Amino acid sequence: MKWVTCAALLGLMSVAQSAHADEKLTVYSYRQAFLVEPILKRFTDETGIAVNVVFAKDGIAERIAREGRLSPADLVLTSDFSRLVELVDKDLTAPVKSEQLNSNIPAQYRDPDGQWYALTMRVRNLYTAKDRLGPQAISYEELADPKYKGKICTRSGKHPYNIALVASMIAHHGEADTKTWLQGVKTNLARKPQGNDRAQVKAVKEGLCDIAIGNSYYYGNMLQDPEQKSWAEAVAINFPNQADRGAHVNVSGMVLTRYAPNKDNAIKLMEFLSADVAQKAYAEVNMEYPVKADVAPSTLVASWGEFKSDQLPIFKLAEYHQAAVKLLDEVQFDL
């Protein structure tokens, strides 16, 4: 089967916990095992509900659609907002009404109809070379300023993180001005978009560019990686647009599947993931910002300082997702 073949190539694996437990549920996860497994073990220990997890890098929506009503999936964990949108758009989700979820997760970070809930936040930061620019009070709009010609590095414009950023620009400025901005950013690129977020920071260290676009948690992870620590130490982390609307944030999240066979158990897990213990684990293990307001970020993340985030409701990004992709194509951003 195509799925099995792809899964084998992408490292899909299944972990069964507490096989003799009476209660159970199945999670399909885009999030990696090192982050998810300890949290789910804690859930099983506290509730007695066994959690079977299928990890994958791609194709979960296609798999659930193919499985239809016979799908064993109760819950999907995603690493970014675009995956949540994809599941909703394909009519693979079921709405959830939970006072606990609504209490733990601010309205800005959940679907108004309960089709998805965010679990963590990450900032789309602008990193600047410490030795050439130093810390900068910079905005996303300034990335198109001619003074930065040949100084910017980024991954593909079509990556979900950058699509979400462009969608936010459309929400604030409209399509015409965002297209002009994208053309300006492309003109200022030091090289064609390539690599991941960490590769952009590495490029700054190597002098290929002076500004890199990247998510906040990668910065924290690089500082903890002996092989990449020098990359992170070569840049200053800047939170854009602090003088106006605040920095753009993206989210990871979760959905209840349309035909969840263990719906009640799945909702219990959703509530657990939104509560203090799991939120703190996300913060400590993966350097992300908790969505639950009274849970503090890790000590390392907190050391970067407080910042103002864009208050645009995350669901608005979905409205402009296709328009963002269209503009990226029109300006041939990756070519």
Side-chain angles (χ1 to χ4, degrees):
M1 294 176 64
K2 184 178 179 182
W3 166 261
V4 173
T5 301
C6 291
L9 290 172
L10 296 172
L12 177 152
M13 58 182 178
S14 179
V15 178
Q17 299 178 351
S18 303
H20 300 293
D22 294 330
E23 300 281 357
K24 62 182 181 180
L25 68 97
T26 296
V27 173
Y28 287 1
S29 177
Y30 283 118
R31 307 232 66 178
Q32 297 181 63
F34 80 92
L35 173 64
V36 170
E37 286 181 337
I39 298 173
L40 296 184
K41 182 180 184 303
R42 180 72 177 265
F43 172 75
T44 297
D45 290 344
E46 291 189 10
T47 65
I49 299 172
V51 183
N52 183 63
V53 191
V54 175
F55 294 100
K57 290 184 178 178
D58 292 295
I60 285 180
E62 289 79 3
R63 177 175 181 173
I64 294 175
R66 188 168 57 250
E67 292 170 339
R69 293 178 180 273
L70 298 179
S71 176
D74 296 293
L75 194 67
V76 179
L77 300 178
T78 77
S79 56
D80 61 76
F81 181 65
S82 67
R83 304 284 195 183
L84 298 174
V85 174
E86 179 185 31
L87 290 159
V88 174
D89 287 348
K90 292 184 176 179
D91 198 21
L92 300 174
T93 63
V96 175
K97 293 183 179 180
S98 163
E99 291 184 5
Q100 185 173 342
L101 285 173
N102 290 346
S103 173
N104 289 342
I105 302 175
Q108 181 186 359
Y109 302 120
R110 50 182 161 86
D111 179 66
D113 298 321
Q115 296 286 351
W116 57 263
Y117 289 84
L119 284 171
T120 62
M121 300 184 295
R122 64 289 297 265
V123 180
R124 200 73 182 137
N125 292 103
L126 299 179
Y127 299 100
T128 49
K130 280 184 179 176
D131 59 348
R132 301 187 292 280
L133 292 180
Q136 294 284 315
I138 191 171
S139 68
Y140 299 114
E141 285 79 358
E142 289 179 271
L143 294 177
D145 191 312
K147 68 182 178 183
Y148 292 131
K149 185 175 178 58
K151 295 183 181 298
I152 298 172
C153 284
T154 183
R155 69 192 313 165
S156 168
K158 292 292 191 65
H159 189 277
Y161 297 149
N162 280 339
I163 293 175
L165 174 59
V166 175
S168 75
M169 293 293 289
I170 296 173
H172 288 295
H173 298 294
E175 286 193 35
D177 286 350
T178 300
K179 183 176 180 178
T180 300
W181 173 74
L182 272 176
Q183 290 169 326
V185 176
K186 180 182 178 181
T187 298
N188 286 345
L189 293 179
R191 61 181 183 179
K192 290 183 179 180
Q194 57 191 271
N196 55 26
D197 279 4
R198 300 185 197 217
Q200 314 315 314
V201 174
K202 181 173 183 284
V204 172
K205 179 183 185 298
E206 294 173 344
L208 297 175
C209 46
D210 290 343
I211 302 173
I213 306 171
N215 279 357
S216 51
Y217 66 95
Y218 289 121
Y219 184 66
N221 289 333
M222 284 188 288
L223 286 170
Q224 295 184 319
D225 184 333
E227 295 185 0
Q228 300 177 357
K229 185 177 181 182
S230 64
W231 308 354
E233 290 178 336
V235 301
I237 182 171
N238 303 286
F239 293 86
N241 295 80
Q242 294 305 287
D244 42 63
R245 67 179 180 277
H248 167 68
V249 297
N250 201 329
V251 298
S252 69
M254 58 184 172
V255 302
L256 178 71
T257 62
R258 182 175 180 182
Y259 301 115
N262 304 288
K263 179 179 176 181
D264 291 344
N265 288 344
I267 293 175
K268 288 179 182 176
L269 177 56
M270 294 176 78
E271 292 173 343
F272 178 85
L273 294 175
S274 73
D276 290 17
V277 170
Q279 287 287 295
K280 187 174 182 180
Y282 276 119
E284 295 291 342
V285 175
N286 208 37
M287 303 295 123
E288 297 180 78
Y289 291 94
V291 292
K292 192 170 186 291
D294 58 353
V295 176
S298 72
T299 301
L300 175 59
V301 172
S303 72
W304 305 337
E306 296 184 354
F307 69 98
K308 179 170 65 176
S309 63
D310 188 344
Q311 294 303 298
L312 181 75
I314 294 296
F315 69 83
K316 285 288 185 183
L317 299 179
E319 294 182 15
Y320 298 107
H321 184 272
Q322 289 305 317
V325 173
K326 179 175 69 75
L327 291 186
L328 287 159
D329 284 335
E330 288 179 358
V331 305
Q332 299 183 319
F333 190 82
D334 287 350
L335 300 181

